[in-house]
Amino acid sequence: MEKTILSGIQPSGKLHIGNYFGAMRQHIRMQEEGDAFYFIANYHSLTSVNEGKKLDRFTKDVVLDYLALGLDPEKCTFFAQSDVPQTTELAWILGCLTPVSLMEKGVSYKDKVAQGLSPNIGLFTYPILQAADILVYNSDLVPVGEDQKQNIEICRDLAGKLNFTYNEELLKIPEDYIVKSVAVVLGVDGRKMSKSYNNTIDIFDEGKTLKKRVMSIQTDSTPLEDPKDPETCNVFALIKLFADEIEQKDIAEKYKAGGYGYGHAKKELLALIKDYFADAREKRKQLEKNMDYVFDVLREGGKKARERAETVMEPIRSKTGLFRSF
Ligand code: ADP
Ligand code: TRP
């Protein structure tokens, strides 16, 4: 039987090239490899975005980004998390089996609070909602970056707990599937690219904004005429993501030969980024003019996702003794 692949991405701001190479590209590739479910994790974003208009805008942006970059609704089920209320229902049931001490071990909560996010209960129990996302579709594989490893372990733990408590295989325990194809993408300041560090180059940045971001990449102060080491340069690290092998070799030679400044490298990077996302940029503009189609995609995806979720929830309601009069 075809494996169910599931992953989600939060709509909490513009998506950047770290998100693309670290997560989205793999999602798009994997739609060819199984029965893929991809969703916009808008319930999760409520943990940090508390302005309705903003969350709505971010959600539509992520939908447009994914479709423009090649997610194909004919090949996968693409939907918004809030279109599947069974998710929060399962999250509550799982929460009633989750020891507080398990959440207290969560590194991501601590990281986010350290970065200035409000320490709300939603943020604290984020991994339980994520577990529900995964389990409510009987997922087999969950392609995520290394940073999500603990959340997937918690998910497996909670599925086991529910099955054990009710003495029945009500939830499928997903395989650990960490995508390792890309190391961490670095931001313009050389730290991990992240919207919380304000060091991103966004996928759909254009014109002056894109140029300004690329030109702001931090480099050392080796003079233009001196040879440079490409392997220690932030600009070259990004060039490697966009250039093919021949182009990479060619640029590396120029670094080593000297007479080639970081400004030159940045210009090459800028051209590479423009070229790499040119088709997606065009497609996104077309999609933006056709929002009816975009909503149809979400409606269809949501319907399919709800149907699947209901088949998992129905026996759980019955086994847990939850009363329903409709
Ligand atoms: P951010 O750090 O900007 O808030 P998220 O935590 O929302 O990004 O990450 C969404 C997805 O993108 C995750 O699967 C994560 O693994 C991936 N990702 C985010 N930043 C990077 C990066 N700099 N390099 C590689 N992958 C990344
Ligand atoms: N926590 C994930 C992230 O920040 C997003 C997410 C929410 C997710 N629910 C999920 C990923 C379920 C995979 C499966 O990137």
Side-chain angles (χ1 to χ4, degrees), residues 1-7 30 33-37 131 133-144 152 155-156 159 169 171-178 308 312:
M1 234 199 34
E2 238 191 350
K3 295 215 166 186
T4 298
I5 299 164
L6 172 122
S7 200
M30 287 185 80
E33 293 165 21
D35 187 12
F37 282 66
D133 286 327
I134 297 168
L135 301 170
V136 86
Y137 307 107
N138 269 338
S139 310
D140 296 295
L141 298 176
V142 190
V144 285
I152 308 296
C155 166
R156 287 162 55 85
E169 193 79 26
L171 293 170
K172 187 186 253 184
I173 302 183
E175 286 168 44
D176 211 338
Y177 189 86
I178 304 296
R308 169 78 75 97
V312 175

Side-chain angles (χ1 to χ4, degrees), residues 9 16 18-19 22-23 145 147 183-185 192-195:
I9 200 152
H16 52 73
N19 297 137
D147 59 338
V184 170
V185 176
K192 176 192 172 214
M193 187 177 287
S194 167
K195 58 185 164 295

Side-chain angles (χ1 to χ4, degrees), residues 16-23 182-188 190-194 199 201 237-238 241-242:
H16 52 73
I17 59 179
N19 297 137
Y20 179 72
F21 289 103
V182 155
V184 170
V185 176
L186 300 181
V188 297
R191 290 188 291 171
K192 176 192 172 214
M193 187 177 287
S194 167
N199 65 354
I201 297 173
L238 290 169
L241 296 169
F242 294 97

Side-chain angles (χ1 to χ4, degrees), residues 196-209:
S196 7
Y197 297 148
N198 196 19
N199 65 354
T200 63
I201 297 173
D202 297 336
I203 303 170
F204 289 98
D205 270 352
E206 279 190 283
K208 276 192 191 143
T209 318

